[in-house]
Amino acid sequence: MKPSAIISLACVLLFLLNVPRVESSRPQGLGAGHHAPGQGHHPGHDGGHQNDQPDPDYNGYSFYVFGDSFADNGNLLKKYPNSELTRQWYPPYQASGRFSNLLVQSDFIAMLLGQPASPPAHRQTRGVGPVGMNFAAGGSGVYDVPGTPTLARQVHTFNKLVKDGDIKQEHLDGQSLALIAVDGNDYARVRANASSLADIESFVETVVEEIEANVVRLQNIGVKKVLVNNLFPLGCAPSLTRRTGYSGCDEEANQDAALHNHLLFNQLTFSRINGMDGVLLLDLDAAFSRIVGPSPDADMVNLFPNRLVPCCDSWLYTAYCGQVDPDTDGPLYRVCDNPDSHFFWDEMNPTQVGWEAVMGQLEGPIREFLGLIT
């Protein structure tokens, strides 16, 4: 690793160590909000948020993050006992609210912008400074899931902060960037609930249309540029490869992801033809496939000898990383000795080194899109 990279990661570690620990069916339409109209300032003013914005003199891109566990940095509050949506505050996670052993996608994008890590989580922050804010929440997607806000609700919360003046219009009018990281939660049960290929195609079309609608909504609010994830090969996630002993990917799930990506590309291309500019589709499919796909790059196989096996694996087929016995609090999972040899941290999310390998492939297109070529 280069000395500059080591220094950057050291700064990130210091930053994260100072993050406070907080105690504690149809698509959701754009008009459905997280807070009631006229409620006033956002909930951070009630004392539940512990974190003020760093670096008020920052003059780069204001960065606003939406989506799921690929981008969440602490928007699902800590509760006891832990659950699948709150485990990120407990061992073996690093208690920073992230679904990884340290950094996630939003952190790497923020570092490209000159920030030390992802902008502060909305649920932990008083005030919105020039660096932006993170609204992403693990488990989120287009459809409602108990305990986590949908993509549309996250965007509505952002819109309310803009209307209330908590997010200054000048931060949007200058250099502003959003990330939409919707990475497959909606498809967790699609094959179980669909009775035909037409049902699956209709479901995927709805998900894609909602993602595109939220891109339009963000641009109408004033965000200048938007990054949108496509889907990684879902069938290569440990949650699905576990049934084969992590020996191969689930092709049906990969077909669902491929259909999603095809429709999303077409939808965003059609919108661009009709005047919607300022959107970059991040090709997670290609970046992940070079590592965990059926025909991975040789150098990635060498980098990740355990590319399909998660570092944190549950003892039981139905359990998850971080789950504990309700009677003894004993772990129902095991953690590997060397996370850097594993691409996946848990049953869905990459390790920090995994994210570094993915974002290293996407850094060039992002820099070019944002005019950050050096």
Side-chain angles (χ1 to χ4, degrees), residues 349-361:
N349 302 283
T351 58
Q352 173 182 292
V353 173
W355 272 123
E356 188 173 2
V358 168
M359 296 311 296
Q361 299 176 61

Side-chain angles (χ1 to χ4, degrees), residues 13-332:
L13 284 167
L14 289 172
F15 177 83
L16 294 178
L17 287 173
N18 286 288
V19 173
R21 309 311 186 223
V22 182
E23 301 297 337
S24 57
S25 191
R26 62 185 179 84
Q28 188 69 44
L30 289 173
H34 200 57
H35 315 303
Q39 186 175 327
H41 293 300
H42 71 97
H45 298 164
D46 66 7
H49 298 195
Q50 304 295 320
N51 216 24
D52 284 325
Q53 280 263 347
D55 194 4
D57 297 324
Y58 172 79
N59 62 358
Y61 273 91
S62 291
F63 185 30
Y64 303 96
V65 182
F66 307 88
D68 54 30
S69 61
F70 278 17
D72 184 6
N73 67 335
N75 278 305
L76 295 175
L77 299 187
K78 183 176 181 179
K79 295 180 181 179
Y80 183 84
N82 73 335
S83 70
E84 202 164 358
L85 288 179
T86 61
R87 55 181 161 155
Q88 67 277 15
W89 296 106
Y90 294 90
Y93 297 82
Q94 296 299 313
S96 69
R98 290 163 170 82
F99 288 80
S100 184
N101 61 327
L102 192 57
L103 302 183
V104 295
Q105 183 187 17
S106 54
D107 294 304
F108 283 96
I109 295 175
M111 286 190 286
L112 288 179
L113 305 178
Q115 301 183 19
S118 171
H122 168 249
R123 294 296 298 273
Q124 295 188 61
T125 309
R126 290 193 303 264
V128 188
V131 299
M133 181 165 279
N134 189 319
F135 299 87
S140 178
V142 162
Y143 283 80
D144 274 312
V145 173
T148 189
T150 62
L151 173 64
R153 286 185 176 181
Q154 295 172 28
V155 173
H156 177 85
T157 301
F158 168 70
N159 187 37
K160 189 174 188 305
L161 294 181
V162 174
K163 287 185 175 180
D164 288 348
D166 291 312
I167 294 177
K168 298 184 184 304
Q169 193 64 45
E170 64 194 67
H171 295 156
L172 301 181
D173 292 341
Q175 297 183 111
S176 55
L177 173 69
L179 168 67
I180 292 182
V182 174
D183 302 295
N185 290 312
D186 292 305
Y187 299 120
R189 298 177 181 86
V190 61
R191 291 238 170 221
N193 296 332
S195 60
S196 67
L197 180 60
D199 287 343
I200 294 173
E201 291 178 350
S202 177
F203 185 93
V204 174
E205 286 173 0
T206 301
V207 172
V208 167
E209 287 169 0
E210 283 290 314
I211 292 173
E212 192 262 349
N214 280 282
V215 172
V216 173
R217 178 68 165 155
L218 287 170
Q219 292 189 320
N220 289 340
I221 294 168
V223 176
K224 299 302 181 186
K225 293 181 179 290
V226 184
L227 303 173
V228 182
N229 284 355
N230 71 5
L231 285 186
F232 74 101
L234 294 176
C236 297
S239 59
L240 293 178
T241 61
R242 175 189 290 179
R243 67 190 65 172
T244 66
Y246 305 115
S247 62
C249 301
D250 183 307
E251 285 309 310
E252 279 194 346
N254 281 351
Q255 289 170 15
D256 294 340
L259 175 60
H260 171 101
N261 292 341
H262 173 74
L263 294 177
L264 182 62
F265 176 82
N266 287 348
Q267 189 81 22
L268 294 180
T269 300
F270 177 79
S271 297
R272 188 177 301 115
I273 292 172
N274 285 275
M276 187 183 79
D277 205 358
V279 180
L280 176 65
L281 189 62
L282 295 182
D283 197 355
L284 264 64
D285 176 51
F288 274 65
S289 292
R290 292 188 184 105
I291 303 168
V292 298
S295 302
D297 289 357
D299 57 340
M300 291 298 180
V301 173
N302 293 331
L303 182 62
F304 297 107
N306 300 297
R307 61 194 182 89
L308 291 178
V309 181
C311 175
C312 180
D313 196 9
S314 57
W315 295 111
L316 305 174
Y317 183 78
T318 57
Y320 53 83
C321 175
Q323 188 171 0
V324 297
D325 187 291
D327 297 320
T328 67
D329 274 346
L332 298 178

Side-chain angles (χ1 to χ4, degrees), residues 328-343:
T328 67
D329 274 346
L332 298 178
Y333 59 88
R334 53 183 173 262
V335 181
C336 69
D337 293 328
N338 181 19
D340 289 356
S341 70
H342 292 254
F343 177 76

